[in-house]
Amino acid sequence: MTLGTQTEAGGGTPAERWREREEEDSLFRQLRLTVRQGLEIDAGTPSQAWEALTQVGAWEFPLPIGMDGLDLGQAVVAMVCEEGGNAMQPVPLTDTLLALDLLSGLGPLPPAGLDGLLDRVRDGAHPIAVPGRLPDPRGAVPPGITWKPDGDGGGIVLNGTGGPFAAGVGPGSLLVPASGPDGPGVALVELPAAGVTLRPLRDHGGGAVAGAVFEEARVAAEAVVLRGMAAEQALTRVGLRAAVHQASLLAGITAAALTAVVSRIRSRQQFGQALVRHQGPRLRVAGLLARLDAVRWAVGDAAKDLDENRLTPGEAAGLIALTAETTLDVTRDAVHLHGASGLVRDGLVAGCYRRAAWEALRCGRPTHLWDIAAHTG
């Protein structure tokens, strides 16, 4: 386990922080530091966090060079997700990255309704959220939202409910995976839209969360991104990447919880000495740190396999299942190690625990993902 130090934004108080992997080259470490400092210094609110991500060029990192992107690879994108999770600002980071991934794969002639959209996303002016669960590592569309043809014009009608998703910044559009009579479909619904209602969910300390309700919501043909066999193929590709991105985000949330734990046991006194000097809590925290390290190594290796087209759906499912279980376990233990103060709604560790409760399930329940890992190559 490797520990480093950082200075909390505005506070000047040193706090524990996990250093980058030793094998990361100097350019990668500098890029990580740039993203980290942007989020720590300029991200006191979700809107500021979104602006900080835009300023460092996060939306250009995954885009191909032919689309005015930087094409830095999935290892860099995973690092951004980890740092975003550690910042604990409820912004649709993995959602927007999934949308960029899907839209950039449409080729040189995307639907007319998407003209200029990538530019608006790149400029930070158009966050995109995915209501409800993300596609699983096999690209399967989650239940909850269905589509049906809308006459002969090529449009569709959406019905159902999706949620939760991070809503610290209001999305400009919803990217909606849905199941229908001809297989899966993906629509881009620009807000506000008739038949679409965003419903804020109760914020229990993990940040703003919302759901979306579709009631006979009509989507024009030019806003139907994909459907049928083309949608199946595209969702299979982005499902793999979404699993790695979400696992990275969860690793960041886990690191944020452990930052709070280490600070707590070092400052709290019991029997005349710091709690960190007592063997019981010290060994318990060491075990949690070891689990975080294991997850970070697994995510880093999976991101590299993605870049080399070696990651399989089974491996991606196992990764997100492992990370989700680790995050749920670690954040729960972090609350216990804080005692009664761990239940304070505005406390960092309570926020990590409550956000992990829904972020850990966005690619599916761990038991289902383990089943995919066991039966899928």
Side-chain angles (χ1 to χ4, degrees):
M1 292 161 289
T2 53
L3 299 182
T5 59
Q6 68 174 4
T7 300
E8 293 182 342
T13 304
E16 287 300 330
R17 188 58 187 274
W18 330 119
R19 286 203 305 265
E20 52 275 8
R21 289 166 51 162
E22 295 298 329
E23 68 180 34
E24 292 177 354
D25 61 45
S26 58
L27 289 177
F28 192 99
R29 287 199 296 270
Q30 184 58 50
L31 186 57
R32 180 189 287 276
L33 182 61
T34 300
V35 174
R36 180 180 298 173
Q37 288 179 335
L39 288 171
E40 289 174 350
I41 296 172
D42 301 323
T45 66
S47 296
Q48 291 170 341
W50 192 261
E51 179 63 23
L53 289 167
T54 303
Q55 289 297 323
V56 300
W59 318 123
E60 299 175 3
F61 292 170
L63 287 175
I65 293 175
M67 293 184 172
D68 297 326
L70 297 176
D71 198 11
L72 296 184
Q74 295 304 311
V76 170
V77 177
M79 174 272 291
V80 172
C81 292
E82 181 184 343
E83 296 299 330
N86 192 83
M88 277 300 293
Q89 294 292 352
V91 296
L93 171 56
T94 55
D95 302 42
T96 299
L97 290 172
L98 185 151
L100 287 173
D101 198 357
L102 191 68
L103 297 176
S104 65
L106 295 178
L109 296 174
L114 304 182
D115 185 38
L117 177 64
L118 289 180
D119 289 335
R120 298 201 303 274
V121 175
R122 187 187 295 110
D123 293 340
H126 201 91
I128 300 178
V130 178
R133 280 173 37 193
L134 307 175
D136 74 18
R138 298 173 303 180
V141 172
I145 303 174
T146 60
W147 70 269
K148 60 184 179 182
D150 185 18
D152 298 326
I156 62 174
V157 179
L158 296 174
N159 283 285
T161 302
F165 59 89
V169 293
S173 295
L174 298 177
L175 187 76
V176 186
S179 55
D182 299 327
V186 182
L188 192 71
V189 179
E190 191 156 352
L191 300 173
V196 181
T197 304
L198 296 188
R199 292 182 177 174
L201 304 178
R202 291 188 64 184
D203 171 15
H204 292 288
V209 185
V213 179
F214 301 87
E215 297 177 318
E216 296 293 308
R218 283 177 163 76
V219 180
E222 58 267 22
V224 179
V225 180
L226 292 163
R227 60 180 172 183
M229 184 63 70
E232 288 183 11
Q233 294 172 348
L235 288 172
T236 299
R237 179 175 62 85
V238 301
L240 282 176
R241 300 185 180 193
V244 175
H245 298 167
Q246 190 67 13
S248 303
L249 183 84
L250 290 171
I253 294 172
T254 306
L258 286 176
T259 296
V261 167
V262 173
S263 177
R264 173 70 172 174
I265 67 172
R266 283 186 168 177
S267 62
R268 186 180 179 187
Q269 296 285 320
Q270 192 174 72
F271 303 118
Q273 59 182 349
L275 192 60
V276 71
R277 295 186 175 276
H278 294 272
Q279 188 177 43
R282 186 170 185 167
L283 291 177
R284 189 173 178 184
V285 171
L288 299 180
L289 292 172
R291 293 188 68 179
L292 171 61
D293 264 0
V295 162
R296 292 187 72 231
W297 280 96
V299 170
D301 289 342
K304 289 183 178 180
D305 286 344
L306 259 184
D307 283 329
E308 298 171 7
N309 295 316
R310 295 185 312 200
L311 189 68
T312 68
E315 291 168 342
L319 172 73
I320 187 63
L322 171 68
T323 309
E325 288 184 345
T326 300
T327 300
L328 292 170
D329 291 346
V330 170
T331 53
R332 181 181 61 245
D333 283 359
V335 171
H336 292 166
L337 285 161
H338 268 65
S341 65
L343 302 176
V344 177
R345 176 181 174 181
D346 294 333
L348 174 60
V349 70
C352 292
Y353 173 75
R354 290 174 173 126
R355 186 170 176 191
W358 61 269
E359 289 278 18
L361 304 181
R362 288 206 76 196
C363 289
R365 294 186 176 277
T367 51
H368 175 63
L369 292 166
W370 282 125
D371 186 63
I372 293 175
H375 297 93
T376 307

